[in-house]
Amino acid sequence: MFGLAPAAVAEAPFARLADGGTADDSWWLRADPVHLAPDRDQLVLMPQSVLELAHAETQALAEAFNKVFADDGWHLEFPHPLRGYLSCPKPLDVFTHDPAPFMGGPVLAAMPTGPDAARLKLLMNELQMLFHTHAVNSAREEAGRPPINSLWFWGGGRLPPVSGVAPRQVVSDLPLVQGLALWAGREPLMPAGARITGDSLIALAAGDVAALERGWFAPLLAAVKDGTLRHLDMHLGGLGDFTLDRGGARRFWRFGRPMGTS
């Protein structure tokens, strides 16, 4: 919808735009603060909610990181307490993982891979030692809170040239989609209070399903049925892509079949 191939849409540079960053030609990684907890012979990635992060804490860690690694071409910033961004001295040929599916579980299978993975893992080891003795973590441990003992690197890439292609309206609470809108010259709207119009991209976090049904799914279905919207194109993650038009929406007598049947 933005005129980009999927391979050109990297999480880090677009999400950084949504968090107030300026467009540049740097190669960015997401660098999210995490707590890795030892569990027997493995490390478990704890949910970010247990950290109860203050922005001043991540800003202080970024300052310490930059004092040590700036001369090597790395730069860390935290425009948002939960979302950090690492500018790399050069693009890295590495495959990384969104941490969300691994929260609460072991991290070995989610470590970076690829030709430059060793360089990134070395950096992770060095910053873990830096954070271990930092005053922020000393204070957190004294207060009974888990330390920020690592950063999770993922979603690396740089901004591509502007394509000139964008929907008329973008409604989203997702940093990636908000950043895509800003990159394309559109001001993204938050879902609360946004109006449904044609030629809109609506991208929502799958959180409170009942609230999504009341606020979005039911009104969108009604708009398709009464012809306000000609059709609705839906991307439902791993469930696939679907298109609903007025005729399909009014076929209430058709019973659904289990997925995987013909």
Side-chain angles (χ1 to χ4, degrees):
M1 186 167 285
F2 288 92
L4 294 175
V9 183
E11 171 79 25
F14 287 104
R16 180 175 170 270
L17 284 184
D19 282 330
T22 57
D24 61 22
D25 193 43
S26 298
W27 201 90
W28 292 93
L29 277 164
R30 280 279 295 265
D32 298 346
V34 295
H35 175 71
L36 299 177
D39 181 22
R40 297 182 181 177
D41 58 348
Q42 62 186 4
L43 290 175
V44 173
L45 177 63
M46 301 305 292
Q48 271 194 331
S49 58
V50 307
L51 291 177
E52 299 179 354
L53 287 166
H55 205 173
E57 293 178 318
T58 51
Q59 294 279 28
L61 292 175
E63 183 179 349
F65 178 97
N66 291 329
K67 285 181 179 179
V68 175
F69 296 103
D71 288 344
D72 296 326
W74 306 95
H75 175 75
L76 178 65
E77 59 186 51
F78 278 97
H80 187 283
L82 298 180
R83 294 189 290 272
Y85 300 92
L86 179 68
S87 175
C88 305
K90 67 175 186 177
L92 299 179
D93 187 359
V94 64
F95 181 78
T96 58
H97 296 272
D98 181 340
F102 300 94
M103 293 290 182
V107 300
L108 181 60
M111 287 292 100
T113 57
D116 289 327
R119 186 181 187 193
L120 199 56
K121 290 177 182 177
L122 177 61
L123 180 65
M124 293 171 68
N125 289 336
E126 292 176 338
L127 71 87
Q128 285 172 15
M129 290 187 287
L130 175 66
F131 288 179
H132 178 70
T133 57
H134 197 281
V136 162
N137 280 325
S138 297
R140 290 179 63 87
E141 290 184 297
E142 287 180 9
R145 296 189 295 156
I148 306 163
N149 59 10
S150 189
L151 296 178
W152 191 274
F153 297 127
W154 67 288
R158 58 163 46 107
L159 292 174
V162 176
S163 67
V165 178
R168 184 175 302 171
Q169 176 177 269
V170 178
V171 180
S172 183
D173 51 7
L174 303 174
L176 171 61
V177 179
Q178 292 172 344
L180 277 162
L182 292 168
W183 167 82
R186 297 284 189 268
E187 187 66 33
L189 304 176
M190 290 298 290
R195 296 178 58 189
I196 299 171
T197 66
D199 190 23
S200 294
L201 171 63
I202 302 169
L204 306 171
D208 186 339
V209 176
L212 291 176
E213 170 66 20
R214 293 190 302 271
W216 289 100
F217 301 153
L220 285 169
L221 177 60
V224 173
K225 284 183 175 180
D226 67 19
T228 302
L229 296 179
R230 288 188 300 171
H231 61 88
L232 183 63
D233 299 321
M234 297 172 286
H235 172 68
L236 302 178
L239 296 179
D241 299 325
F242 305 89
T243 296
L244 181 68
D245 58 19
R246 189 176 186 183
R250 295 174 67 88
R251 292 172 189 160
F252 58 87
W253 61 87
R254 294 184 63 178
F255 292 96
R257 297 191 181 102
M259 286 186 295
T261 62
S262 58

